[in-house]
Amino acid sequence: MGTLPFVDLKAQYRRLRPQIDEAIQHVLDDGQYVMGPHLERFEGELAVFAGARHAIGVSSGTDALFISLLAYGIGRGDAVFVPAFTYTASAEVIALAGARPVFVDVEPETFNIDTADLEAKIAAVKEQGELSPKGVLAVDLFGLPADWDTLNDIAKANDLVLISDAAQSFGGEYGCKRVGTLATVTGTSFYPSKPLGCYGDGGAILTDDDDIAATIISIRTHGTGVHKYDVVRVGLNGRLDAIQAAVLSVKLSVFAEELDARETIAGLYDEGLADIVQVPKRLPDYRSAWAQYTIKTEGRDELRAKLAEAGIPSTAFYPKPLHFHPPYAPFGNGPGSLPVSEELCGRVLSLPMHPYMATSDVQRVIDGVRAAVG
Ligand SMILES: *Cc1c(COP(=O)(O)O)cnc(C)c1O
């Protein structure tokens, strides 16, 4: 038996090849490579899918978050609260905007921002009086939406901008709402291995707010005004390419099916593993996009090594909390300050997950974990 892929992107291409090749050829033939009808069409489809008023294609998930912060004028002297257990991009955009990331711990079961710790951190920043609390950037880690009801209440009570880092959760749901409508502004990523991925870098911003959407559209193209050569604010080049938009239109047409397939695989993993490792927490009213299927266990590194010997890849997302990385250490309070995030980094393990995974391969992973742990 060979090595299993962690994510098999080519399986999807084999399925969609005629449509994708045609869509790319279409863009090449009509010659509008930046902006234009392919982008507009995809943005419309994406907005409908999420149930949001506006979907704005951008150059990456990172730029989606960065542009959102800029659109609210967040910068020097501002504090933005962000979980410590996430991908580095969540905090990097805050620092790039000139603001200060304030790290918040996460919940041990959902891996998402701990709203009680968030309230404590907001109170601490207010008491200190050096920074002005401006925003919360909460992450739907591994695809599971955070507790957006509580987050919206906290943001309202403290007059904070609420930004959702949905790079991993597009397609997820909370109650009767889809990811893209859970915060004032949502940024997502179309990096190839994300649940909805393109063939390069890409992302989108979703919002129901007309004013902020107009500002975001302006920032996406160098801060231009109504006329192309009027500059009304500082912006950047943050556009989504037409080829990527055309590819994404094709992929969006099968995305709901793929989300169901991910759910089925997660269910098989649950059944096969729940008695020997901690499987992901299931919450009523929540639907994960299953960017990752992440278990928790003692002896994670040993398990990972044994799986590798059996040809089963696995990844530790994330091996270090953000406040342990040198560029972010000055924003944190050192080891022990964010205990749940710190502990999770030594215990989590993400298993192979993609919508085209054969049931026999899922079983092979389950057998591998059972043999290694049991
Ligand atoms: C992937 C990811 C991003 C960044 O998205 P890119 O498209 O790679 O820039 C941001 N936040 C989280 C949580 C991610 O997983």
Side-chain angles (χ1 to χ4, degrees), residues 23-369:
I24 292 173
Q25 193 59 51
H26 212 111
V27 178
L28 296 180
D29 286 338
D30 75 23
Q32 285 227 48
Y33 307 131
V34 173
M35 307 299 282
H38 299 282
L39 178 63
E40 271 170 38
R41 185 177 128 191
F42 171 63
E43 288 176 334
E45 292 163 350
L46 195 72
V48 168
F49 185 92
R53 272 173 70 80
H54 304 276
I56 302 155
V58 294
S59 38
S60 69
T62 305
D63 285 341
L65 300 171
F66 184 50
I67 291 171
S68 299
L69 292 167
L70 296 182
Y72 281 105
I74 291 173
R76 206 169 297 276
D78 296 336
V80 179
F81 302 88
V82 63
F85 185 61
T86 177
Y87 185 53
T88 179
S90 312
E92 137 196 321
V93 291
I94 300 167
L96 280 176
R100 181 165 171 143
V102 176
F103 294 121
V104 179
D105 215 349
V106 297
E107 297 175 341
E109 302 288 324
T110 64
F111 311 131
N112 283 330
I113 194 163
D114 178 333
T115 52
D117 192 45
L118 172 62
E119 288 191 293
K121 295 283 156 67
I122 294 169
V125 167
K126 284 186 175 171
E127 200 180 292
Q128 241 169 16
E130 270 170 50
L131 298 163
S132 106
K134 267 290 167 60
V136 179
L137 197 157
V139 184
D140 299 335
L141 206 69
F142 305 142
L144 181 71
D147 179 0
W148 289 103
D149 280 347
T150 308
L151 288 169
N152 274 291
D153 289 346
I154 294 172
K156 205 178 243 172
N158 294 280
D159 198 19
L160 300 172
V161 171
L162 188 55
I163 296 172
S164 161
D165 177 348
Q168 302 182 4
S169 65
F170 192 76
E173 292 170 21
Y174 177 36
C176 51
K177 290 176 124 188
R178 282 202 152 157
V179 165
T181 61
L182 301 172
T184 326
V185 173
T186 299
T188 193
S189 166
F190 304 129
Y191 184 78
S193 59
K194 304 285 163 124
L196 181 62
C198 59
Y199 292 138
D201 280 303
I205 303 169
L206 297 112
T207 183
D208 284 341
D209 184 319
D210 297 344
D211 293 334
I212 209 74
T215 306
I216 286 165
I217 287 167
S218 164
I219 293 173
R220 173 178 71 173
T221 305
H222 304 291
T224 43
V226 181
H227 301 289
K228 195 174 166 189
Y229 294 107
D230 274 347
V231 178
V232 297
R233 57 176 60 79
V234 175
L236 47 85
N237 174 356
R239 296 172 296 236
L240 178 67
D241 290 343
I243 286 180
Q244 302 301 348
V247 166
L248 283 161
S249 280
V250 176
K251 293 194 182 199
L252 189 61
S253 69
V254 298
F255 187 48
E257 245 175 70
E258 292 181 344
L259 289 165
D260 288 344
R262 287 178 187 270
E263 184 65 52
T264 302
I265 293 162
L268 293 173
Y269 274 145
D270 282 355
E271 264 172 50
L273 297 173
D275 61 324
I276 51 158
V277 293
Q278 271 183 283
V279 297
K281 174 100 171 163
R282 300 301 193 117
L283 298 165
D285 286 344
Y286 283 79
R287 180 165 186 187
S288 177
W290 296 112
Q292 303 297 338
Y293 185 91
T294 304
I295 59 170
K296 275 195 299 181
T297 181
E298 303 291 336
R300 186 265 320 269
D301 295 333
E302 208 188 330
L303 169 59
R304 197 173 172 208
K306 283 187 185 165
L307 288 175
E309 270 171 39
I312 299 168
S314 61
T315 310
F317 292 125
Y318 295 93
K320 272 191 209 177
L322 290 183
H323 63 299
F324 283 12
H325 289 281
Y328 296 101
F331 302 126
N333 291 307
S337 59
L338 295 151
V340 179
S341 300
E342 292 168 28
E343 199 203 323
L344 286 175
C345 290
R347 295 189 57 200
V348 288
L349 193 66
S350 300
L351 302 178
M353 162 62 84
H354 67 88
Y356 300 93
M357 207 173 158
T359 307
S360 55
D361 287 343
V362 180
Q363 193 57 49
R364 185 175 153 197
V365 177
I366 292 170
D367 293 344
V369 174

